[in-house]
Amino acid sequence: MEYVIAFVVGGLICVVGQLLLDVGKFTPAHVMSTLVVVGVILDFFGVYDPFIDFAGAGATVPIVSFGHSLYHGAMQEASQDGLIGVITGIFEVTSAGISAAIVFGFFASLVFRPKG
Amino acid sequence: MATKTKKGIQFPLSKAEYKEQASKYRPKRNVLQNTFRAFWVGGTICLLGQIITNIYINFFGFSEQDAGNPTVATLILISVILTGLGVYDNIGQYAGAGSAVPVTGFANSIASAAIEHRSEGYVLGVGGNMFKLAGSVIVFGTVAAFVFGALRTILNMLWAG
Amino acid sequence: MSTSVATRNRLSRQTWQFTEDVRIQATATVVGPKEGEGPLGALFDRVYDDMYAGQDSWEKAERILMEDAVNIALEKARLKPDDIDQILAGDLLNQNITANFTAENLSIPLMGMYGACSTSMLTLSNAAALVNAGYANYIIAACSSHNATAERQYRYPTEYGGQKPPNAQWTVTGAGAAVVGIGGDGPRLTHATIGKVMDLGIKDPFDMGAAMAPAAVSTLMTHFEDTGLRPQDYDLIVTGDLASIGYAIAKDLLQKEGYDMDKVYNDCGLMVYHPDQEVFAGASGCASSATVTYSYIVDQLSKGLLKKVLVCATGALLSPVSYQQGDSIPCIAHAVAFEGGK
């Protein structure tokens, strides 16, 4: 069942992205930026964690969860250090995604060349 | 008939008239088909994410919480390899947001820029251009997290105070 | 005296008449793999089956395409680089680098020209004018475009998984070159019409055809009015790269203005690829008009299968900065009239 939910929920989030592209005439960069900000806002209202409990990878794989992680990291530190923690904590949770993308991306540039 | 004046031919339509005329020729995007493709490809990537998560939990003893990071890293690795092999752009043309919205799309935007700009050198090319596309996601996510994080922190302080 | 030359050669502010026997001495076209698989594949002088053309970057590959095209054209004309007075060349890349490096390698004096995808006829019209006026014996007109260099300059990295809408166009990987001189038995160049920049407010860079159609219409109407010729006086009229959408718009507009385009009008953007080659609305790029004109059209003119042809190359003069700053797309079209050889 959790596989079905991950598939359906993840698919539906992508549908929202597709509608922003096709109907909203957004560029891909605008879609991604919008979804990340939405993730932050959802987490601000405390909805994203229950959503992850429900949908699993359907909620963590889409880029929306990147916004949730950024906000989460900020709040984690803020609970200890107050306002300063908001700054120092932002990348606390997301570091895996960003550093993996940088490291793998860099190694890819050593190995591959564009195919066109 | 257009009139010929000293200035030459006058274009028969105004900007507003032309815009309206031209829009009639524009092919409609097949929203239904695009949406369906985005749904099943995006759903499949998330399903794959769920499978990977469960592998990390069941075979490597990760907790449900801790399995998130290696899952993301694995998906990113797969996406970067597919980008390097010249496959991800074709998936993207088919799936649209279905392959752009998952974290694999984020990785594709970073890897494609890195690979593309290698011809300009590792520092200025790869290093300088890697976040050409992904940069806006990080910037807006970070700024939003700061604004809402600060807001929440201040609200909490007031609440406690 | 000067006024008499002007009255013979200058039909209007925009249209020139070539009064000398200005002719194409030879042409050559070099393309990439996808173009080689297209309907004109057999007519191109060289087809690279590798987008890199053996080079280590897309940009260098594009230079090879242009250099090859020039060298093959010289060979066909039995001329050496030293026989050529100037090369008029351009491409789509920032600072016209393909033309600059190619001219450096060939060591032919260069006049770099930028007209986006209209560069083919911009260079050819100027080559004809300079030869007609006696400033040069032989001039080469050349231009190039490359799918990957254009993608990465105007849009995204080539491996980026963005989805293109159906009105997008596919930049042709290729180059064309023509040697222009007096006499011989190649196709004669009779007129050229220089276009005005037209901007009808289209902003979407994926909507090139619709953006460029007014420029083509304006230049074609001007050409017909200035020369007194009608569309049916030509066996073939082609626009450069309006593709399916722009082509339909331009045709209907001209038709509505009383120009009968029936049966004579086509678009190079619809001639380079088969409909099933997944190129969205059609081809674009400097090489769209250049490779079609300098292969198929010149071929047909030389064989006498076409007698009079008008090529109206269209260009979108935008830059990534201009459209990101919200400007609409300024466009231009230049036309050159050809007459069958002999």
Side-chain angles (χ1 to χ4, degrees), chain B residues 1-2 4 7 9 11-12 15 18-19 25-27 86 89 92-94 96 108 112 116-117 119-120 133, chain C residues 58 152 156-161 163-164 196 199-201 207 210 214 221-222 225-226 245 249 252 257 280:
Chain B
M1 231 12 228
K4 194 185 173 191
K7 282 170 150 179
I9 290 287
F11 191 74
K15 278 191 183 186
Y18 182 73
K19 262 188 162 167
Y25 291 83
R26 203 169 295 133
D89 57 333
Q93 181 57 41
Y94 175 85
N108 164 255
S112 63
E116 188 65 58
H117 290 278
S119 60
E120 292 140 77
L133 297 159
Chain C
W58 304 124
R152 98 193 194 103
Y156 298 113
T158 52
E159 299 305 336
Y160 176 63
Q163 191 176 40
K164 287 184 180 168
K196 284 200 278 193
D199 181 348
L200 273 288
D207 219 2
M221 279 168 50
T222 304
E225 296 308 314
D226 289 348
I245 299 152
I249 295 175
D252 288 356
E257 292 303 305
F280 311 100

Side-chain angles (χ1 to χ4, degrees), chain A residues 14-86:
Chain A
C14 294
V15 166
V16 172
Q18 190 66 39
L19 292 175
L20 288 175
L21 283 174
D22 280 352
V23 181
K25 296 280 179 322
F26 280 40
T27 70
H30 283 83
V31 173
M32 298 310 144
S33 305
T34 307
L35 290 179
V36 166
V37 174
V38 167
V40 171
I41 294 171
L42 290 178
D43 205 32
F44 174 80
F45 288 111
V47 229
Y48 214 82
D49 279 327
F51 180 49
I52 291 176
D53 290 338
F54 166 69
T60 55
V61 172
I63 199 73
V64 188
S65 83
F66 186 65
H68 146 265
S69 306
L70 289 168
Y71 179 82
H72 240 60
M75 292 320 293
Q76 216 167 293
E77 289 284 293
S79 63
Q80 292 155 22
D81 304 335
L83 271 179
I84 296 294
V86 177

